[in-house]
Amino acid sequence: MLRKQSGITMIEVMVTLAITTTGLLGISALQLQSNRAAQDSGNRSQAVWMLEDLASRINSNSTALVNYNTNGVYACGNVPTRCADYDEKGSKKDAAICTATEVAAFDLWDVACTKGNTINGEIVRQSYADFISNPRLSITVNAANKQATLSLTWDVRTSGKDAGGNTLYFSNEGTTDRTATITRQVQL
């Protein structure tokens, strides 16, 4: 005689838990990748704005074109003469009167360097470089042709390059270079 089953067995419960757990792990991995991609997208947007701002500054200060040449990656050093109004601890500071050369030095520093400003002990993000993961700016100037090549490289989380220079997406194995680069030409 057959008995009617009432309820579920322990094996059925275990199988259901295994399937549910696998699904939830997949969803969490997808969420992590989505967060990485969102950060990379934000970095790319900031990089485009950064290069466009610098290109506009170079066009506005074209007489000092050669002073924008970084001779490799721009190194943020001491704060140059401030050629634009700025805020210091809640009070407005007026810009200094600058030469074209000083404006070029200020433009590079203002666009490419983090400011390290704080309010009540909290770091305040105020420049493009504060929002990009490890930005590296390089500018090559061809004065004879009145042309500048702006290149910005930053760290990414969702892709990279292997030893052969091939682009890898979302792979930790064999990735040697996890950076992205945008290049912009400025013709005066």
Side-chain angles (χ1 to χ4, degrees), residues 71-86:
N71 296 316
V73 175
Y74 179 72
C76 297
N78 295 330
V79 178
T81 303
R82 299 251 183 153
C83 300
D85 292 349
Y86 62 99

Side-chain angles (χ1 to χ4, degrees), residues 133-153:
S133 302
N134 193 22
R136 295 171 299 282
L137 175 67
S138 168
I139 301 175
T140 305
V141 172
N142 182 335
N145 292 337
K146 295 185 178 184
Q147 182 179 1
T149 303
L150 289 64
S151 180
L152 183 67
T153 302

Side-chain angles (χ1 to χ4, degrees), residues 38 42 81 102 106 175 180:
T81 303
E102 289 172 326
F106 174 75
T175 305

Side-chain angles (χ1 to χ4, degrees), residues 111-128:
V111 171
C113 300
T114 61
K115 305 302 183 280
N117 295 332
T118 60
I119 294 178
N120 298 328
E122 296 293 320
I123 295 176
V124 179
R125 294 182 173 192
Q126 293 184 324
S127 74
Y128 299 112

Side-chain angles (χ1 to χ4, degrees), residues 15-32:
V15 168
T16 302
L17 281 173
I19 291 171
T20 303
T21 302
T22 302
L24 290 174
L25 285 173
I27 289 171
S28 69
L30 185 62
Q31 181 65 37
L32 285 173

